[in-house]
Amino acid sequence: LAESAARGARVASICTGAFALAAAGVLDGRRATTHWQHLGEFEALFPSVQIDRDVLYVDNGDVLTSAGMCCGIDMCLYMVMRDLGAATANRVARALVAPPHRDGGQAQYVPAAVAIVGDTSLAATRAWILDHLAETITVAEMAQHARMSVRTFMRRFTDETGTTPLQWLVNARVTAARALLETTD
């Protein structure tokens, strides 16, 4: 691993594979992540690595690490997007039946109470937002669409997505713009 990285090869680890990269010295002085259940152990064993607890994956350019197995899919789709463009990454994601990009961090996957289906899901509001990306949309309008107070909406949206409504909106707009730039004139 160390020789490959020294030659300039891109190296990536999925889940606890970060332990192998760190043991080889590839992660020294770099940011990295691994599965949330092993973060403490990782930090104790490899103090020269800057652990990031709140991400799905870390990109250091030539060295990437993912938080868990499913986050490894996110990281691989990100590499496809980076190397071959959003259109190709979207086709690969569709074949995998996976989202081309997920926002949020691994903290959202730590065991928590499961909501009753339909009880608090904001999927319909997120779909509405995606249908209105070109328009000015306020958090108050999002909350109104969800039939919630702004405060409740903000809390539930962050619980469901791992990010704020406005940051999610910005990311959705950037993703749509990237796709348009790569697929249209």
PDB file of all heavy atoms in Angstrom, residues 32-53:
ATOM      1  N   ALA A  32      -8.957  11.309   7.708  1.00  0.00           N
ATOM      2  CA  ALA A  32      -9.483   9.990   7.347  1.00  0.00           C
ATOM      3  C   ALA A  32     -10.731   9.719   8.170  1.00  0.00           C
ATOM      4  O   ALA A  32     -11.021  10.424   9.138  1.00  0.00           O
ATOM      5  CB  ALA A  32      -8.444   8.907   7.603  1.00  0.00           C
ATOM      6  N   THR A  33     -11.447   8.668   7.777  1.00  0.00           N
ATOM      7  CA  THR A  33     -12.580   8.208   8.560  1.00  0.00           C
ATOM      8  C   THR A  33     -12.631   6.689   8.486  1.00  0.00           C
ATOM      9  O   THR A  33     -11.937   6.071   7.683  1.00  0.00           O
ATOM     10  CB  THR A  33     -13.913   8.838   8.082  1.00  0.00           C
ATOM     11  OG1 THR A  33     -14.913   8.614   9.072  1.00  0.00           O
ATOM     12  CG2 THR A  33     -14.351   8.288   6.734  1.00  0.00           C
ATOM     13  N   THR A  34     -13.429   6.119   9.351  1.00  0.00           N
ATOM     14  CA  THR A  34     -13.670   4.684   9.360  1.00  0.00           C
ATOM     15  C   THR A  34     -15.041   4.469   9.998  1.00  0.00           C
ATOM     16  O   THR A  34     -15.715   5.437  10.366  1.00  0.00           O
ATOM     17  CB  THR A  34     -12.546   3.921  10.097  1.00  0.00           C
ATOM     18  OG1 THR A  34     -12.706   2.519   9.872  1.00  0.00           O
ATOM     19  CG2 THR A  34     -12.540   4.197  11.597  1.00  0.00           C
ATOM     20  N   HIS A  35     -15.436   3.245  10.170  1.00  0.00           N
ATOM     21  CA  HIS A  35     -16.749   2.938  10.738  1.00  0.00           C
ATOM     22  C   HIS A  35     -16.881   3.553  12.128  1.00  0.00           C
ATOM     23  O   HIS A  35     -15.950   3.506  12.932  1.00  0.00           O
ATOM     24  CB  HIS A  35     -16.935   1.419  10.814  1.00  0.00           C
ATOM     25  CG  HIS A  35     -18.333   1.009  11.089  1.00  0.00           C
ATOM     26  ND1 HIS A  35     -18.869   1.017  12.360  1.00  0.00           N
ATOM     27  CD2 HIS A  35     -19.322   0.605  10.257  1.00  0.00           C
ATOM     28  CE1 HIS A  35     -20.118   0.619  12.306  1.00  0.00           C
ATOM     29  NE2 HIS A  35     -20.424   0.358  11.031  1.00  0.00           N
ATOM     30  N   TRP A  36     -18.052   4.104  12.426  1.00  0.00           N
ATOM     31  CA  TRP A  36     -18.266   4.819  13.687  1.00  0.00           C
ATOM     32  C   TRP A  36     -17.990   3.962  14.914  1.00  0.00           C
ATOM     33  O   TRP A  36     -17.574   4.476  15.948  1.00  0.00           O
ATOM     34  CB  TRP A  36     -19.676   5.411  13.751  1.00  0.00           C
ATOM     35  CG  TRP A  36     -20.803   4.419  13.736  1.00  0.00           C
ATOM     36  CD1 TRP A  36     -21.459   3.958  12.636  1.00  0.00           C
ATOM     37  CD2 TRP A  36     -21.409   3.775  14.863  1.00  0.00           C
ATOM     38  NE1 TRP A  36     -22.433   3.055  12.995  1.00  0.00           N
ATOM     39  CE2 TRP A  36     -22.432   2.922  14.368  1.00  0.00           C
ATOM     40  CE3 TRP A  36     -21.196   3.827  16.236  1.00  0.00           C
ATOM     41  CZ2 TRP A  36     -23.225   2.142  15.190  1.00  0.00           C
ATOM     42  CZ3 TRP A  36     -21.988   3.046  17.062  1.00  0.00           C
ATOM     43  CH2 TRP A  36     -22.988   2.217  16.539  1.00  0.00           C
ATOM     44  N   GLN A  37     -18.189   2.639  14.823  1.00  0.00           N
ATOM     45  CA  GLN A  37     -17.958   1.780  15.985  1.00  0.00           C
ATOM     46  C   GLN A  37     -16.470   1.633  16.311  1.00  0.00           C
ATOM     47  O   GLN A  37     -16.126   1.184  17.395  1.00  0.00           O
ATOM     48  CB  GLN A  37     -18.552   0.392  15.746  1.00  0.00           C
ATOM     49  CG  GLN A  37     -20.064   0.374  15.780  1.00  0.00           C
ATOM     50  CD  GLN A  37     -20.614  -1.014  15.519  1.00  0.00           C
ATOM     51  OE1 GLN A  37     -20.225  -1.675  14.564  1.00  0.00           O
ATOM     52  NE2 GLN A  37     -21.519  -1.441  16.381  1.00  0.00           N
ATOM     53  N   HIS A  38     -15.601   1.988  15.389  1.00  0.00           N
ATOM     54  CA  HIS A  38     -14.165   1.781  15.573  1.00  0.00           C
ATOM     55  C   HIS A  38     -13.362   3.081  15.618  1.00  0.00           C
ATOM     56  O   HIS A  38     -12.131   3.039  15.605  1.00  0.00           O
ATOM     57  CB  HIS A  38     -13.627   0.879  14.452  1.00  0.00           C
ATOM     58  CG  HIS A  38     -14.318  -0.441  14.386  1.00  0.00           C
ATOM     59  ND1 HIS A  38     -14.057  -1.454  15.286  1.00  0.00           N
ATOM     60  CD2 HIS A  38     -15.293  -0.902  13.565  1.00  0.00           C
ATOM     61  CE1 HIS A  38     -14.829  -2.492  15.002  1.00  0.00           C
ATOM     62  NE2 HIS A  38     -15.593  -2.185  13.969  1.00  0.00           N
ATOM     63  N   LEU A  39     -14.044   4.218  15.683  1.00  0.00           N
ATOM     64  CA  LEU A  39     -13.344   5.497  15.673  1.00  0.00           C
ATOM     65  C   LEU A  39     -12.408   5.661  16.867  1.00  0.00           C
ATOM     66  O   LEU A  39     -11.268   6.116  16.710  1.00  0.00           O
ATOM     67  CB  LEU A  39     -14.345   6.657  15.622  1.00  0.00           C
ATOM     68  CG  LEU A  39     -15.080   6.831  14.299  1.00  0.00           C
ATOM     69  CD1 LEU A  39     -16.247   7.803  14.468  1.00  0.00           C
ATOM     70  CD2 LEU A  39     -14.141   7.302  13.216  1.00  0.00           C
ATOM     71  N   GLY A  40     -12.870   5.305  18.049  1.00  0.00           N
ATOM     72  CA  GLY A  40     -12.031   5.437  19.244  1.00  0.00           C
ATOM     73  C   GLY A  40     -10.783   4.579  19.170  1.00  0.00           C
ATOM     74  O   GLY A  40      -9.676   5.038  19.482  1.00  0.00           O
ATOM     75  N   GLU A  41     -10.949   3.341  18.767  1.00  0.00           N
ATOM     76  CA  GLU A  41      -9.819   2.431  18.607  1.00  0.00           C
ATOM     77  C   GLU A  41      -8.843   2.960  17.557  1.00  0.00           C
ATOM     78  O   GLU A  41      -7.625   2.943  17.751  1.00  0.00           O
ATOM     79  CB  GLU A  41     -10.342   1.049  18.192  1.00  0.00           C
ATOM     80  CG  GLU A  41      -9.270   0.027  17.921  1.00  0.00           C
ATOM     81  CD  GLU A  41      -9.843  -1.276  17.359  1.00  0.00           C
ATOM     82  OE1 GLU A  41     -11.062  -1.391  17.164  1.00  0.00           O
ATOM     83  OE2 GLU A  41      -9.032  -2.188  17.117  1.00  0.00           O
ATOM     84  N   PHE A  42      -9.378   3.469  16.458  1.00  0.00           N
ATOM     85  CA  PHE A  42      -8.545   4.004  15.383  1.00  0.00           C
ATOM     86  C   PHE A  42      -7.714   5.183  15.892  1.00  0.00           C
ATOM     87  O   PHE A  42      -6.505   5.249  15.662  1.00  0.00           O
ATOM     88  CB  PHE A  42      -9.417   4.428  14.202  1.00  0.00           C
ATOM     89  CG  PHE A  42      -8.636   4.793  12.974  1.00  0.00           C
ATOM     90  CD1 PHE A  42      -8.385   3.849  11.996  1.00  0.00           C
ATOM     91  CD2 PHE A  42      -8.152   6.074  12.794  1.00  0.00           C
ATOM     92  CE1 PHE A  42      -7.658   4.171  10.863  1.00  0.00           C
ATOM     93  CE2 PHE A  42      -7.434   6.414  11.667  1.00  0.00           C
ATOM     94  CZ  PHE A  42      -7.178   5.460  10.691  1.00  0.00           C
ATOM     95  N   GLU A  43      -8.370   6.103  16.596  1.00  0.00           N
ATOM     96  CA  GLU A  43      -7.667   7.282  17.134  1.00  0.00           C
ATOM     97  C   GLU A  43      -6.564   6.879  18.099  1.00  0.00           C
ATOM     98  O   GLU A  43      -5.477   7.469  18.096  1.00  0.00           O
ATOM     99  CB  GLU A  43      -8.651   8.215  17.838  1.00  0.00           C
ATOM    100  CG  GLU A  43      -9.499   9.010  16.877  1.00  0.00           C
ATOM    101  CD  GLU A  43     -10.507   9.890  17.588  1.00  0.00           C
ATOM    102  OE1 GLU A  43     -11.190   9.398  18.520  1.00  0.00           O
ATOM    103  OE2 GLU A  43     -10.614  11.061  17.197  1.00  0.00           O
ATOM    104  N   ALA A  44      -6.820   5.866  18.922  1.00  0.00           N
ATOM    105  CA  ALA A  44      -5.814   5.414  19.888  1.00  0.00           C
ATOM    106  C   ALA A  44      -4.605   4.780  19.188  1.00  0.00           C
ATOM    107  O   ALA A  44      -3.456   5.005  19.593  1.00  0.00           O
ATOM    108  CB  ALA A  44      -6.433   4.427  20.871  1.00  0.00           C
ATOM    109  N   LEU A  45      -4.860   4.013  18.148  1.00  0.00           N
ATOM    110  CA  LEU A  45      -3.779   3.325  17.441  1.00  0.00           C
ATOM    111  C   LEU A  45      -2.983   4.231  16.501  1.00  0.00           C
ATOM    112  O   LEU A  45      -1.790   4.022  16.286  1.00  0.00           O
ATOM    113  CB  LEU A  45      -4.337   2.147  16.633  1.00  0.00           C
ATOM    114  CG  LEU A  45      -4.800   0.940  17.412  1.00  0.00           C
ATOM    115  CD1 LEU A  45      -5.526  -0.043  16.487  1.00  0.00           C
ATOM    116  CD2 LEU A  45      -3.617   0.256  18.082  1.00  0.00           C
ATOM    117  N   PHE A  46      -3.652   5.240  15.935  1.00  0.00           N
ATOM    118  CA  PHE A  46      -3.018   6.064  14.901  1.00  0.00           C
ATOM    119  C   PHE A  46      -3.197   7.551  15.203  1.00  0.00           C
ATOM    120  O   PHE A  46      -3.925   8.263  14.499  1.00  0.00           O
ATOM    121  CB  PHE A  46      -3.607   5.719  13.528  1.00  0.00           C
ATOM    122  CG  PHE A  46      -3.558   4.254  13.204  1.00  0.00           C
ATOM    123  CD1 PHE A  46      -4.712   3.489  13.208  1.00  0.00           C
ATOM    124  CD2 PHE A  46      -2.351   3.629  12.914  1.00  0.00           C
ATOM    125  CE1 PHE A  46      -4.673   2.132  12.919  1.00  0.00           C
ATOM    126  CE2 PHE A  46      -2.294   2.284  12.628  1.00  0.00           C
ATOM    127  CZ  PHE A  46      -3.458   1.527  12.634  1.00  0.00           C
ATOM    128  N   PRO A  47      -2.498   8.057  16.233  1.00  0.00           N
ATOM    129  CA  PRO A  47      -2.672   9.459  16.627  1.00  0.00           C
ATOM    130  C   PRO A  47      -2.193  10.458  15.568  1.00  0.00           C
ATOM    131  O   PRO A  47      -2.581  11.627  15.614  1.00  0.00           O
ATOM    132  CB  PRO A  47      -1.846   9.573  17.915  1.00  0.00           C
ATOM    133  CG  PRO A  47      -0.881   8.442  17.862  1.00  0.00           C
ATOM    134  CD  PRO A  47      -1.548   7.347  17.091  1.00  0.00           C
ATOM    135  N   SER A  48      -1.401  10.023  14.609  1.00  0.00           N
ATOM    136  CA  SER A  48      -0.923  10.951  13.572  1.00  0.00           C
ATOM    137  C   SER A  48      -1.948  11.164  12.460  1.00  0.00           C
ATOM    138  O   SER A  48      -1.738  11.974  11.561  1.00  0.00           O
ATOM    139  CB  SER A  48       0.383  10.445  12.966  1.00  0.00           C
ATOM    140  OG  SER A  48       0.172   9.205  12.320  1.00  0.00           O
ATOM    141  N   VAL A  49      -3.064  10.438  12.527  1.00  0.00           N
ATOM    142  CA  VAL A  49      -4.126  10.593  11.534  1.00  0.00           C
ATOM    143  C   VAL A  49      -5.205  11.508  12.118  1.00  0.00           C
ATOM    144  O   VAL A  49      -5.605  11.356  13.261  1.00  0.00           O
ATOM    145  CB  VAL A  49      -4.734   9.221  11.154  1.00  0.00           C
ATOM    146  CG1 VAL A  49      -5.857   9.395  10.145  1.00  0.00           C
ATOM    147  CG2 VAL A  49      -3.654   8.288  10.624  1.00  0.00           C
ATOM    148  N   GLN A  50      -5.667  12.448  11.319  1.00  0.00           N
ATOM    149  CA  GLN A  50      -6.722  13.370  11.745  1.00  0.00           C
ATOM    150  C   GLN A  50      -8.075  12.736  11.410  1.00  0.00           C
ATOM    151  O   GLN A  50      -8.507  12.765  10.272  1.00  0.00           O
ATOM    152  CB  GLN A  50      -6.577  14.703  11.010  1.00  0.00           C
ATOM    153  CG  GLN A  50      -5.257  15.388  11.227  1.00  0.00           C
ATOM    154  CD  GLN A  50      -5.002  16.445  10.166  1.00  0.00           C
ATOM    155  OE1 GLN A  50      -5.906  16.944   9.505  1.00  0.00           O
ATOM    156  NE2 GLN A  50      -3.737  16.798   9.995  1.00  0.00           N
ATOM    157  N   ILE A  51      -8.713  12.149  12.399  1.00  0.00           N
ATOM    158  CA  ILE A  51      -9.963  11.417  12.171  1.00  0.00           C
ATOM    159  C   ILE A  51     -11.125  12.392  12.027  1.00  0.00           C
ATOM    160  O   ILE A  51     -11.225  13.363  12.761  1.00  0.00           O
ATOM    161  CB  ILE A  51     -10.232  10.381  13.292  1.00  0.00           C
ATOM    162  CG1 ILE A  51     -11.266   9.353  12.859  1.00  0.00           C
ATOM    163  CG2 ILE A  51     -10.654  11.041  14.574  1.00  0.00           C
ATOM    164  CD1 ILE A  51     -10.748   8.373  11.857  1.00  0.00           C
ATOM    165  N   ASP A  52     -11.966  12.159  11.056  1.00  0.00           N
ATOM    166  CA  ASP A  52     -13.177  12.955  10.854  1.00  0.00           C
ATOM    167  C   ASP A  52     -14.359  12.047  11.162  1.00  0.00           C
ATOM    168  O   ASP A  52     -14.618  11.080  10.458  1.00  0.00           O
ATOM    169  CB  ASP A  52     -13.248  13.473   9.416  1.00  0.00           C
ATOM    170  CG  ASP A  52     -14.295  14.567   9.252  1.00  0.00           C
ATOM    171  OD1 ASP A  52     -15.268  14.591  10.037  1.00  0.00           O
ATOM    172  OD2 ASP A  52     -14.138  15.391   8.338  1.00  0.00           O
ATOM    173  N   ARG A  53     -15.057  12.358  12.230  1.00  0.00           N
ATOM    174  CA  ARG A  53     -16.134  11.512  12.731  1.00  0.00           C
ATOM    175  C   ARG A  53     -17.464  11.738  12.021  1.00  0.00           C
ATOM    176  O   ARG A  53     -18.381  10.950  12.169  1.00  0.00           O
ATOM    177  CB  ARG A  53     -16.349  11.777  14.228  1.00  0.00           C
ATOM    178  CG  ARG A  53     -15.161  11.463  15.075  1.00  0.00           C
ATOM    179  CD  ARG A  53     -15.375  11.886  16.534  1.00  0.00           C
ATOM    180  NE  ARG A  53     -14.448  11.161  17.382  1.00  0.00           N
ATOM    181  CZ  ARG A  53     -14.675   9.960  17.873  1.00  0.00           C
ATOM    182  NH1 ARG A  53     -15.800   9.341  17.617  1.00  0.00           N
ATOM    183  NH2 ARG A  53     -13.767   9.359  18.617  1.00  0.00           N
TER     184      ARG A  53
END
